[in-house]
Amino acid sequence: GMASVFRGYDITLGRSVAIKILRRDLANDNAFRTRFRLEAQAASRMANPSIVRVFDAGEDTVTDASGTHPAPYIVMELVHGALLKDIIAAGPVSVTDAVRYVDGILEALEYSHRAGVVHRDIKPGNVMVTDAGQVKVMDFGIARAVSDSSSTVAETTSIIGTAAYFSPEQAKGESVDARADLYSTGVVLYELLTGRTPFRGDSPVAVAYQHVSETPVAPSEVVDNMPR
């Protein structure tokens, strides 16, 4: 929801890459562009098999009928596989596979947290499983660039996508640390086990409020043969 992604080719190093070009309304925000550049630099320093590599980031310009606009971009490793979001949508996931996927996410987070980088937007749409079964987490830092240049939970959720995976402190607009990523990973595990997120509502703000004030139904009460 924040960018268009293209398949590209790095002619210097001779490899296929993914190029993410940020949405114009975000690109026109100077605060966002500055934060995005800083976060891309932090992400580029992380090298772990469970994290999609960031090779480069920069800013181009695009000219159209309405004038010239900045176009911030990020160049990443091209991953062949499926989004965890699509794997969940295809049907029930076994407990064994659910644990394996979450183990991969936690491996990425262990590495990033040691490097001082908090993801802030762990959800199935930001996790890929390669054709060989390797879990890869992507978009480190982009959520911070968004939330640091957005003033409200409603604004942030409309850009990032969904409040279903927000930690209570994110929902309340408070400062966020590594624990928020672990909470969001717990929500992903819940969804892998049950096929649904623990909280649902008519609006992002309504869902965010449930994270703060309610306790989810145990997965073993949602799925009959789920081990407690």
Side-chain angles (χ1 to χ4, degrees):
M2 292 185 289
S4 299
V5 186
F6 299 88
R7 182 187 177 123
Y9 189 74
D10 183 334
I11 56 174
T12 305
L13 296 176
R15 63 185 173 192
S16 294
V17 293
I19 304 169
K20 182 166 286 196
I21 300 177
L22 270 291
R23 249 173 41 191
R24 180 179 297 176
D25 57 331
L26 295 173
N28 285 334
D29 181 333
N30 287 330
F32 177 83
R33 294 210 314 276
T34 300
R35 170 58 71 186
F36 175 72
R37 187 171 65 251
L38 292 171
E39 292 301 327
Q41 287 172 358
S44 71
R45 292 193 287 269
M46 295 193 294
N48 183 277
S50 297
I51 295 173
V52 174
R53 286 298 312 269
V54 170
F55 297 136
D56 192 15
E59 193 171 295
D60 203 354
T61 54
V62 174
T63 303
D64 59 19
S66 60
T68 301
H69 309 276
Y73 63 84
I74 188 164
V75 182
M76 300 173 295
E77 168 189 6
L78 182 69
V79 179
H80 296 277
L83 284 174
L84 193 56
K85 176 183 176 181
D86 295 332
I87 292 171
I88 292 170
V93 176
S94 71
V95 173
T96 303
D97 282 344
V99 170
R100 182 169 61 83
Y101 295 147
V102 169
D103 190 52
I105 297 171
L106 292 173
E107 187 177 311
L109 292 176
E110 180 180 36
Y111 180 91
S112 76
H113 292 166
R114 282 182 177 169
V117 177
V118 179
H119 191 289
R120 295 184 178 212
D121 193 24
I122 294 292
K123 61 185 180 186
N126 277 336
V127 180
M128 286 195 77
V129 181
T130 70
D131 295 336
Q134 169 76 49
V135 174
K136 284 186 174 283
V137 180
M138 57 187 169
D139 283 355
F140 275 90
I142 291 183
R144 180 169 180 184
V146 170
S147 55
D148 281 6
S149 54
S150 297
S151 57
T152 67
V153 169
E155 267 184 74
T156 305
T157 52
S158 70
I159 299 171
I160 293 178
T162 176
Y165 308 92
F166 265 20
S167 64
E169 57 271 27
Q170 281 174 297
K172 289 190 284 186
E174 297 174 355
S175 60
V176 170
D177 61 26
R179 291 171 293 185
D181 286 345
L182 300 182
Y183 181 96
S184 299
T185 306
V187 177
V188 173
L189 177 57
Y190 188 105
E191 186 176 14
L192 282 163
L193 294 174
T194 65
R196 49 166 267 199
T197 53
F199 300 121
R200 291 170 292 181
D202 295 332
S203 71
V205 174
V207 177
Y209 182 75
Q210 291 178 66
H211 284 287
V212 177
S213 62
E214 296 185 20
T215 302
V217 176
S220 55
E221 292 181 36
V222 179
V223 180
D224 291 340
N225 58 353
M226 182 64 57
R228 283 193 68 185

